[in-house]
PDB file of all heavy atoms in Angstrom:
ATOM      1  N   ASP A1065      16.514 -11.193  -4.395  1.00  0.00           N
ATOM      2  CA  ASP A1065      17.340 -10.615  -5.442  1.00  0.00           C
ATOM      3  C   ASP A1065      18.202 -11.605  -6.188  1.00  0.00           C
ATOM      4  O   ASP A1065      18.271 -11.554  -7.411  1.00  0.00           O
ATOM      5  CB  ASP A1065      18.229  -9.453  -4.832  1.00  0.00           C
ATOM      6  CG  ASP A1065      17.471  -8.276  -4.435  1.00  0.00           C
ATOM      7  OD1 ASP A1065      16.305  -8.114  -4.855  1.00  0.00           O
ATOM      8  OD2 ASP A1065      18.032  -7.477  -3.587  1.00  0.00           O
ATOM      9  N   SER A1066      18.762 -12.506  -5.420  1.00  0.00           N
ATOM     10  CA  SER A1066      19.644 -13.576  -6.042  1.00  0.00           C
ATOM     11  C   SER A1066      18.797 -14.499  -6.928  1.00  0.00           C
ATOM     12  O   SER A1066      19.161 -14.841  -7.994  1.00  0.00           O
ATOM     13  CB  SER A1066      20.333 -14.348  -5.005  1.00  0.00           C
ATOM     14  OG  SER A1066      21.225 -13.613  -4.229  1.00  0.00           O
ATOM     15  N   ALA A1067      17.526 -14.782  -6.404  1.00  0.00           N
ATOM     16  CA  ALA A1067      16.693 -15.634  -7.218  1.00  0.00           C
ATOM     17  C   ALA A1067      16.242 -14.934  -8.515  1.00  0.00           C
ATOM     18  O   ALA A1067      16.211 -15.589  -9.605  1.00  0.00           O
ATOM     19  CB  ALA A1067      15.466 -16.027  -6.384  1.00  0.00           C
ATOM     20  N   SER A1068      15.952 -13.657  -8.411  1.00  0.00           N
ATOM     21  CA  SER A1068      15.514 -12.922  -9.615  1.00  0.00           C
ATOM     22  C   SER A1068      16.689 -12.874 -10.636  1.00  0.00           C
ATOM     23  O   SER A1068      16.438 -12.994 -11.852  1.00  0.00           O
ATOM     24  CB  SER A1068      15.150 -11.455  -9.198  1.00  0.00           C
ATOM     25  OG  SER A1068      14.072 -11.501  -8.338  1.00  0.00           O
ATOM     26  N   GLU A1069      17.873 -12.637 -10.139  1.00  0.00           N
ATOM     27  CA  GLU A1069      19.058 -12.512 -11.025  1.00  0.00           C
ATOM     28  C   GLU A1069      19.366 -13.797 -11.763  1.00  0.00           C
ATOM     29  O   GLU A1069      19.834 -13.804 -12.880  1.00  0.00           O
ATOM     30  CB  GLU A1069      20.262 -12.059 -10.245  1.00  0.00           C
ATOM     31  CG  GLU A1069      20.132 -10.592  -9.735  1.00  0.00           C
ATOM     32  CD  GLU A1069      21.191 -10.240  -8.732  1.00  0.00           C
ATOM     33  OE1 GLU A1069      22.056 -11.058  -8.460  1.00  0.00           O
ATOM     34  OE2 GLU A1069      21.212  -9.045  -8.190  1.00  0.00           O
ATOM     35  N   THR A1070      19.126 -14.956 -11.100  1.00  0.00           N
ATOM     36  CA  THR A1070      19.452 -16.239 -11.653  1.00  0.00           C
ATOM     37  C   THR A1070      18.260 -16.938 -12.374  1.00  0.00           C
ATOM     38  O   THR A1070      18.411 -18.026 -12.916  1.00  0.00           O
ATOM     39  CB  THR A1070      20.032 -17.214 -10.601  1.00  0.00           C
ATOM     40  OG1 THR A1070      19.052 -17.388  -9.604  1.00  0.00           O
ATOM     41  CG2 THR A1070      21.316 -16.624  -9.960  1.00  0.00           C
ATOM     42  N   SER A1071      17.079 -16.325 -12.316  1.00  0.00           N
ATOM     43  CA  SER A1071      15.856 -17.009 -12.764  1.00  0.00           C
ATOM     44  C   SER A1071      15.916 -17.439 -14.264  1.00  0.00           C
ATOM     45  O   SER A1071      15.493 -18.477 -14.638  1.00  0.00           O
ATOM     46  CB  SER A1071      14.651 -16.163 -12.510  1.00  0.00           C
ATOM     47  OG  SER A1071      14.758 -14.883 -13.194  1.00  0.00           O
ATOM     48  N   GLU A1072      16.507 -16.561 -15.130  1.00  0.00           N
ATOM     49  CA  GLU A1072      16.615 -16.856 -16.499  1.00  0.00           C
ATOM     50  C   GLU A1072      17.768 -17.819 -16.821  1.00  0.00           C
ATOM     51  O   GLU A1072      17.672 -18.700 -17.746  1.00  0.00           O
ATOM     52  CB  GLU A1072      16.679 -15.579 -17.308  1.00  0.00           C
ATOM     53  CG  GLU A1072      15.453 -14.700 -17.310  1.00  0.00           C
ATOM     54  CD  GLU A1072      15.515 -13.493 -18.178  1.00  0.00           C
ATOM     55  OE1 GLU A1072      16.491 -13.478 -18.985  1.00  0.00           O
ATOM     56  OE2 GLU A1072      14.645 -12.634 -18.133  1.00  0.00           O
ATOM     57  N   ILE A1073      18.871 -17.629 -16.129  1.00  0.00           N
ATOM     58  CA  ILE A1073      20.033 -18.398 -16.430  1.00  0.00           C
ATOM     59  C   ILE A1073      19.945 -19.793 -15.772  1.00  0.00           C
ATOM     60  O   ILE A1073      20.303 -20.829 -16.476  1.00  0.00           O
ATOM     61  CB  ILE A1073      21.316 -17.694 -15.879  1.00  0.00           C
ATOM     62  CG1 ILE A1073      21.429 -16.311 -16.467  1.00  0.00           C
ATOM     63  CG2 ILE A1073      22.554 -18.511 -16.170  1.00  0.00           C
ATOM     64  CD1 ILE A1073      22.522 -15.451 -15.853  1.00  0.00           C
ATOM     65  N   ASN A1074      19.514 -19.835 -14.602  1.00  0.00           N
ATOM     66  CA  ASN A1074      19.418 -21.140 -13.878  1.00  0.00           C
ATOM     67  C   ASN A1074      18.109 -21.228 -13.072  1.00  0.00           C
ATOM     68  O   ASN A1074      18.110 -20.959 -11.869  1.00  0.00           O
ATOM     69  CB  ASN A1074      20.662 -21.326 -12.977  1.00  0.00           C
ATOM     70  CG  ASN A1074      20.780 -22.740 -12.434  1.00  0.00           C
ATOM     71  OD1 ASN A1074      19.844 -23.445 -12.386  1.00  0.00           O
ATOM     72  ND2 ASN A1074      21.974 -23.037 -11.966  1.00  0.00           N
ATOM     73  N   PRO A1075      16.967 -21.562 -13.764  1.00  0.00           N
ATOM     74  CA  PRO A1075      15.726 -21.550 -13.019  1.00  0.00           C
ATOM     75  C   PRO A1075      15.682 -22.512 -11.845  1.00  0.00           C
ATOM     76  O   PRO A1075      15.036 -22.132 -10.773  1.00  0.00           O
ATOM     77  CB  PRO A1075      14.711 -22.055 -14.053  1.00  0.00           C
ATOM     78  CG  PRO A1075      15.379 -21.733 -15.418  1.00  0.00           C
ATOM     79  CD  PRO A1075      16.907 -21.868 -15.130  1.00  0.00           C
ATOM     80  N   GLU A1076      16.335 -23.618 -11.890  1.00  0.00           N
ATOM     81  CA  GLU A1076      16.332 -24.563 -10.773  1.00  0.00           C
ATOM     82  C   GLU A1076      16.993 -23.970  -9.546  1.00  0.00           C
ATOM     83  O   GLU A1076      16.509 -24.086  -8.422  1.00  0.00           O
ATOM     84  CB  GLU A1076      17.063 -25.865 -11.165  1.00  0.00           C
ATOM     85  CG  GLU A1076      16.275 -26.703 -12.245  1.00  0.00           C
ATOM     86  CD  GLU A1076      16.935 -27.970 -12.512  1.00  0.00           C
ATOM     87  OE1 GLU A1076      17.979 -28.285 -11.917  1.00  0.00           O
ATOM     88  OE2 GLU A1076      16.410 -28.778 -13.290  1.00  0.00           O
ATOM     89  N   LYS A1077      18.085 -23.293  -9.749  1.00  0.00           N
ATOM     90  CA  LYS A1077      18.741 -22.585  -8.608  1.00  0.00           C
ATOM     91  C   LYS A1077      17.898 -21.548  -8.046  1.00  0.00           C
ATOM     92  O   LYS A1077      17.852 -21.366  -6.815  1.00  0.00           O
ATOM     93  CB  LYS A1077      20.121 -22.000  -9.076  1.00  0.00           C
ATOM     94  CG  LYS A1077      20.882 -21.342  -7.885  1.00  0.00           C
ATOM     95  CD  LYS A1077      22.212 -20.744  -8.433  1.00  0.00           C
ATOM     96  CE  LYS A1077      22.932 -20.036  -7.235  1.00  0.00           C
ATOM     97  NZ  LYS A1077      24.215 -19.435  -7.738  1.00  0.00           N
ATOM     98  N   ALA A1078      17.235 -20.836  -8.925  1.00  0.00           N
ATOM     99  CA  ALA A1078      16.291 -19.736  -8.425  1.00  0.00           C
ATOM    100  C   ALA A1078      15.203 -20.315  -7.592  1.00  0.00           C
ATOM    101  O   ALA A1078      14.875 -19.725  -6.570  1.00  0.00           O
ATOM    102  CB  ALA A1078      15.714 -18.973  -9.637  1.00  0.00           C
ATOM    103  N   VAL A1079      14.658 -21.458  -7.962  1.00  0.00           N
ATOM    104  CA  VAL A1079      13.578 -22.124  -7.220  1.00  0.00           C
ATOM    105  C   VAL A1079      14.039 -22.512  -5.884  1.00  0.00           C
ATOM    106  O   VAL A1079      13.474 -22.390  -4.826  1.00  0.00           O
ATOM    107  CB  VAL A1079      12.996 -23.290  -7.970  1.00  0.00           C
ATOM    108  CG1 VAL A1079      12.088 -24.183  -7.096  1.00  0.00           C
ATOM    109  CG2 VAL A1079      12.269 -22.843  -9.267  1.00  0.00           C
ATOM    110  N   ASP A1080      15.339 -23.034  -5.813  1.00  0.00           N
ATOM    111  CA  ASP A1080      15.924 -23.435  -4.542  1.00  0.00           C
ATOM    112  C   ASP A1080      16.081 -22.247  -3.612  1.00  0.00           C
ATOM    113  O   ASP A1080      15.800 -22.327  -2.428  1.00  0.00           O
ATOM    114  CB  ASP A1080      17.296 -24.100  -4.766  1.00  0.00           C
ATOM    115  CG  ASP A1080      17.207 -25.479  -5.394  1.00  0.00           C
ATOM    116  OD1 ASP A1080      16.106 -26.064  -5.265  1.00  0.00           O
ATOM    117  OD2 ASP A1080      18.160 -25.954  -5.899  1.00  0.00           O
ATOM    118  N   LEU A1081      16.516 -21.107  -4.158  1.00  0.00           N
ATOM    119  CA  LEU A1081      16.673 -19.931  -3.382  1.00  0.00           C
ATOM    120  C   LEU A1081      15.339 -19.422  -2.788  1.00  0.00           C
ATOM    121  O   LEU A1081      15.272 -19.021  -1.669  1.00  0.00           O
ATOM    122  CB  LEU A1081      17.335 -18.838  -4.267  1.00  0.00           C
ATOM    123  CG  LEU A1081      18.796 -19.001  -4.553  1.00  0.00           C
ATOM    124  CD1 LEU A1081      19.262 -17.994  -5.604  1.00  0.00           C
ATOM    125  CD2 LEU A1081      19.638 -18.905  -3.331  1.00  0.00           C
ATOM    126  N   LEU A1082      14.304 -19.462  -3.680  1.00  0.00           N
ATOM    127  CA  LEU A1082      12.968 -19.031  -3.144  1.00  0.00           C
ATOM    128  C   LEU A1082      12.464 -19.945  -2.111  1.00  0.00           C
ATOM    129  O   LEU A1082      11.820 -19.498  -1.181  1.00  0.00           O
ATOM    130  CB  LEU A1082      12.046 -19.028  -4.443  1.00  0.00           C
ATOM    131  CG  LEU A1082      12.339 -17.938  -5.469  1.00  0.00           C
ATOM    132  CD1 LEU A1082      11.429 -18.119  -6.688  1.00  0.00           C
ATOM    133  CD2 LEU A1082      12.100 -16.574  -4.867  1.00  0.00           C
ATOM    134  N   ASN A1083      12.691 -21.264  -2.249  1.00  0.00           N
ATOM    135  CA  ASN A1083      12.234 -22.196  -1.239  1.00  0.00           C
ATOM    136  C   ASN A1083      12.969 -21.901   0.130  1.00  0.00           C
ATOM    137  O   ASN A1083      12.412 -22.089   1.188  1.00  0.00           O
ATOM    138  CB  ASN A1083      12.397 -23.606  -1.682  1.00  0.00           C
ATOM    139  CG  ASN A1083      11.409 -24.039  -2.693  1.00  0.00           C
ATOM    140  OD1 ASN A1083      10.252 -23.562  -2.630  1.00  0.00           O
ATOM    141  ND2 ASN A1083      11.711 -24.929  -3.647  1.00  0.00           N
ATOM    142  N   GLN A1084      14.263 -21.596  -0.021  1.00  0.00           N
ATOM    143  CA  GLN A1084      15.009 -21.170   1.185  1.00  0.00           C
ATOM    144  C   GLN A1084      14.381 -19.994   1.858  1.00  0.00           C
ATOM    145  O   GLN A1084      14.207 -19.954   3.097  1.00  0.00           O
ATOM    146  CB  GLN A1084      16.474 -20.842   0.786  1.00  0.00           C
ATOM    147  CG  GLN A1084      17.372 -22.028   0.446  1.00  0.00           C
ATOM    148  CD  GLN A1084      18.717 -21.602   0.150  1.00  0.00           C
ATOM    149  OE1 GLN A1084      19.319 -20.684   0.773  1.00  0.00           O
ATOM    150  NE2 GLN A1084      19.352 -22.187  -0.925  1.00  0.00           N
ATOM    151  N   LEU A1085      13.936 -19.018   1.047  1.00  0.00           N
ATOM    152  CA  LEU A1085      13.349 -17.842   1.628  1.00  0.00           C
ATOM    153  C   LEU A1085      12.047 -18.234   2.355  1.00  0.00           C
ATOM    154  O   LEU A1085      11.799 -17.752   3.499  1.00  0.00           O
ATOM    155  CB  LEU A1085      12.937 -16.899   0.432  1.00  0.00           C
ATOM    156  CG  LEU A1085      12.582 -15.449   0.820  1.00  0.00           C
ATOM    157  CD1 LEU A1085      12.817 -14.493  -0.352  1.00  0.00           C
ATOM    158  CD2 LEU A1085      11.107 -15.343   1.269  1.00  0.00           C
ATOM    159  N   PHE A1086      11.194 -19.074   1.732  1.00  0.00           N
ATOM    160  CA  PHE A1086       9.962 -19.504   2.410  1.00  0.00           C
ATOM    161  C   PHE A1086      10.283 -20.307   3.694  1.00  0.00           C
ATOM    162  O   PHE A1086       9.585 -20.098   4.714  1.00  0.00           O
ATOM    163  CB  PHE A1086       9.110 -20.374   1.519  1.00  0.00           C
ATOM    164  CG  PHE A1086       8.557 -19.614   0.274  1.00  0.00           C
ATOM    165  CD1 PHE A1086       8.745 -20.094  -1.000  1.00  0.00           C
ATOM    166  CD2 PHE A1086       7.952 -18.387   0.444  1.00  0.00           C
ATOM    167  CE1 PHE A1086       8.291 -19.424  -2.117  1.00  0.00           C
ATOM    168  CE2 PHE A1086       7.417 -17.741  -0.689  1.00  0.00           C
ATOM    169  CZ  PHE A1086       7.659 -18.247  -1.961  1.00  0.00           C
ATOM    170  N   ASN A1087      11.298 -21.173   3.595  1.00  0.00           N
ATOM    171  CA  ASN A1087      11.639 -22.034   4.741  1.00  0.00           C
ATOM    172  C   ASN A1087      12.255 -21.270   5.927  1.00  0.00           C
ATOM    173  O   ASN A1087      12.018 -21.615   7.098  1.00  0.00           O
ATOM    174  CB  ASN A1087      12.521 -23.181   4.314  1.00  0.00           C
ATOM    175  CG  ASN A1087      11.766 -24.161   3.457  1.00  0.00           C
ATOM    176  OD1 ASN A1087      10.607 -24.302   3.458  1.00  0.00           O
ATOM    177  ND2 ASN A1087      12.560 -24.749   2.540  1.00  0.00           N
ATOM    178  N   TYR A1088      13.110 -20.287   5.652  1.00  0.00           N
ATOM    179  CA  TYR A1088      13.859 -19.587   6.683  1.00  0.00           C
ATOM    180  C   TYR A1088      13.098 -18.295   7.149  1.00  0.00           C
ATOM    181  O   TYR A1088      13.186 -18.001   8.347  1.00  0.00           O
ATOM    182  CB  TYR A1088      15.138 -19.100   6.147  1.00  0.00           C
ATOM    183  CG  TYR A1088      16.119 -20.249   5.775  1.00  0.00           C
ATOM    184  CD1 TYR A1088      17.173 -20.055   4.893  1.00  0.00           C
ATOM    185  CD2 TYR A1088      15.941 -21.542   6.230  1.00  0.00           C
ATOM    186  CE1 TYR A1088      18.079 -21.059   4.556  1.00  0.00           C
ATOM    187  CE2 TYR A1088      16.790 -22.596   5.887  1.00  0.00           C
ATOM    188  CZ  TYR A1088      17.836 -22.334   5.047  1.00  0.00           C
ATOM    189  OH  TYR A1088      18.708 -23.399   4.687  1.00  0.00           O
ATOM    190  N   TYR A1089      12.302 -17.626   6.302  1.00  0.00           N
ATOM    191  CA  TYR A1089      11.794 -16.364   6.721  1.00  0.00           C
ATOM    192  C   TYR A1089      10.254 -16.271   6.625  1.00  0.00           C
ATOM    193  O   TYR A1089       9.657 -15.266   6.947  1.00  0.00           O
ATOM    194  CB  TYR A1089      12.364 -15.243   5.851  1.00  0.00           C
ATOM    195  CG  TYR A1089      13.873 -15.226   5.881  1.00  0.00           C
ATOM    196  CD1 TYR A1089      14.672 -15.739   4.884  1.00  0.00           C
ATOM    197  CD2 TYR A1089      14.580 -14.708   7.020  1.00  0.00           C
ATOM    198  CE1 TYR A1089      16.031 -15.796   4.867  1.00  0.00           C
ATOM    199  CE2 TYR A1089      15.984 -14.731   7.061  1.00  0.00           C
ATOM    200  CZ  TYR A1089      16.681 -15.275   6.053  1.00  0.00           C
ATOM    201  OH  TYR A1089      18.034 -15.274   6.121  1.00  0.00           O
ATOM    202  N   GLY A1090       9.575 -17.376   6.135  1.00  0.00           N
ATOM    203  CA  GLY A1090       8.161 -17.291   6.037  1.00  0.00           C
ATOM    204  C   GLY A1090       7.443 -18.218   7.034  1.00  0.00           C
ATOM    205  O   GLY A1090       6.284 -18.550   6.787  1.00  0.00           O
ATOM    206  N   GLN A1091       8.080 -18.595   8.089  1.00  0.00           N
ATOM    207  CA  GLN A1091       7.450 -19.465   9.082  1.00  0.00           C
ATOM    208  C   GLN A1091       6.821 -18.642  10.195  1.00  0.00           C
ATOM    209  O   GLN A1091       7.171 -17.484  10.428  1.00  0.00           O
ATOM    210  CB  GLN A1091       8.535 -20.410   9.676  1.00  0.00           C
ATOM    211  CG  GLN A1091       9.241 -21.232   8.672  1.00  0.00           C
ATOM    212  CD  GLN A1091       8.338 -22.106   7.937  1.00  0.00           C
ATOM    213  OE1 GLN A1091       7.509 -22.834   8.492  1.00  0.00           O
ATOM    214  NE2 GLN A1091       8.413 -22.162   6.564  1.00  0.00           N
ATOM    215  N   GLU A1092       5.907 -19.301  10.923  1.00  0.00           N
ATOM    216  CA  GLU A1092       5.235 -18.623  12.073  1.00  0.00           C
ATOM    217  C   GLU A1092       6.067 -18.699  13.315  1.00  0.00           C
ATOM    218  O   GLU A1092       5.761 -19.448  14.303  1.00  0.00           O
ATOM    219  CB  GLU A1092       3.856 -19.187  12.232  1.00  0.00           C
ATOM    220  CG  GLU A1092       2.925 -18.864  11.069  1.00  0.00           C
ATOM    221  CD  GLU A1092       1.550 -19.404  11.334  1.00  0.00           C
ATOM    222  OE1 GLU A1092       1.251 -19.916  12.411  1.00  0.00           O
ATOM    223  OE2 GLU A1092       0.713 -19.319  10.439  1.00  0.00           O
TER     224      GLU A1092
END
Side-chain angles (χ1 to χ4, degrees):
D1065 289 343
S1066 296
S1068 299
E1069 291 168 2
T1070 59
S1071 59
E1072 293 186 9
I1073 303 171
N1074 191 340
E1076 291 184 0
K1077 180 180 178 182
V1079 170
D1080 287 341
L1081 290 170
L1082 292 172
N1083 285 328
Q1084 287 180 41
L1085 194 158
F1086 295 129
N1087 292 333
Y1088 296 161
Y1089 304 102
Q1091 303 299 312
E1092 294 184 4

